[in-house]
Amino acid sequence: MDHDATPAPSGASGDATLAAMIDHTILKPDATEAEVGRFCREAIQHGFRSVCVNSVHVPLVAAALRGSEVLTCAVVGFPLGAMPSAIKAAETRLAVENGAGEIDMVIPVGALIEGRNDAVRDDIAAVRDASRGAVLKVIIETCLLTDEQKRTACRLSVEAGADFVKTSTGFSSGGATTADIRLMRETVGPKLGVKASGGVRTPDVARAMIEAGATRIGTSSGISLISAGEAPAGSY
């Protein structure tokens, strides 16, 4: 399975190339089925990589994307990561059964900060085991961590069998930075994907993330990124 683990070539920033790296994301709590359906149509029209939604919307998205090359991506344990691993695993299994081909999970951030690395690794592994071949991205919430904690989270993700590490939920105190993308890429090496999410709202920012080592972009501003337009207020 292609996990987009190799960084994009320098300068590969054409609209089609950038579009194929975008997870078109709608995670706001008041998202309606009509809005989610619109995101699916936009993703097919523009050739985005996936539509990323809360797990309740997975059946709708999987049905809307059927027959296209766009993937269904579900967030798990979102946005806090502060629930038992068994609950995250159950949410993952149901999402995959309903058609999700990618899972973006949130780690137990407090456990990482406390140095309970085995608990963090086991949490990721539980979701990995439940994902049944789906691509697994691990959200480490970089804005809450020191650089050494970010490195530890990346190493634990590798040990637990993740396919990607991801910066942020977009619901905490900060989002992706190029410095964090570089740190994550240096830690996981060339074989894992690195996803920049949270605050990626302009083409220049997206390209800077790619140059720093990102292989996927999570944003609700995908159309603005590929058309060089202005992202709407409140975009993720």
Side-chain angles (χ1 to χ4, degrees):
M1 183 180 294
D2 179 7
H3 296 147
D4 293 341
T6 303
S10 177
S13 56
D15 287 356
T17 300
L18 180 56
M21 300 174 73
I22 291 173
D23 289 344
H24 199 33
T25 301
I26 179 165
L27 296 171
K28 61 182 185 175
D30 58 341
T32 65
E33 289 192 349
E35 289 176 299
V36 173
R38 174 171 59 82
F39 267 61
C40 293
R41 293 189 296 274
E42 291 170 349
I44 294 170
Q45 177 184 352
H46 296 287
F48 294 140
R49 183 69 172 191
S50 81
V51 175
C52 185
V53 293
N54 287 293
S55 58
V56 70
H57 295 301
V58 167
L60 184 158
V61 172
L65 298 178
R66 190 169 294 124
S68 77
E69 296 183 358
V70 183
L71 301 172
T72 300
C73 176
V75 294
V76 164
F78 194 87
L80 302 179
M83 63 280 296
S85 299
I87 301 301
K88 294 181 188 177
E91 185 179 13
T92 298
R93 281 191 292 272
L94 184 58
V96 172
E97 288 172 5
N98 285 335
E102 299 198 336
I103 299 293
D104 288 20
M105 68 165 290
V106 187
I107 64 167
V109 182
L112 178 75
I113 291 171
E114 289 178 329
R116 293 191 285 119
N117 293 348
D118 288 346
V120 177
R121 185 189 302 106
D122 291 347
D123 187 73
I124 301 169
V127 175
R128 171 78 286 174
D129 289 345
S131 64
R132 301 180 185 179
V135 170
L136 176 60
K137 311 189 199 91
V138 177
I139 306 171
I140 67 174
E141 204 68 286
T142 50
C143 63
L144 301 180
L145 306 177
T146 66
D147 282 355
E148 188 51 41
Q149 288 166 345
K150 294 167 196 172
R151 293 187 185 95
T152 297
C154 288
R155 287 193 289 265
L156 295 172
S157 299
V158 172
E159 291 169 10
D163 301 301
F164 276 76
V165 286
K166 175 179 171 181
T167 58
S168 320
T169 62
F171 284 76
S172 189
S173 57
T177 68
T178 53
D180 283 340
I181 293 296
R182 281 192 291 269
L183 179 152
M184 294 163 73
R185 172 55 65 201
E186 289 168 1
T187 304
V188 303
K191 293 185 178 181
L192 253 68
V194 176
K195 179 174 173 179
S197 63
V200 184
R201 301 188 183 98
T202 69
D204 286 345
V205 171
R207 289 164 187 157
M209 296 294 174
I210 294 167
E211 290 291 338
T215 51
R216 195 77 68 89
I217 304 293
T219 180
S220 62
S221 305
I223 295 174
S224 298
L225 293 190
I226 62 172
S227 63
E230 183 176 349
S235 297
Y236 164 76

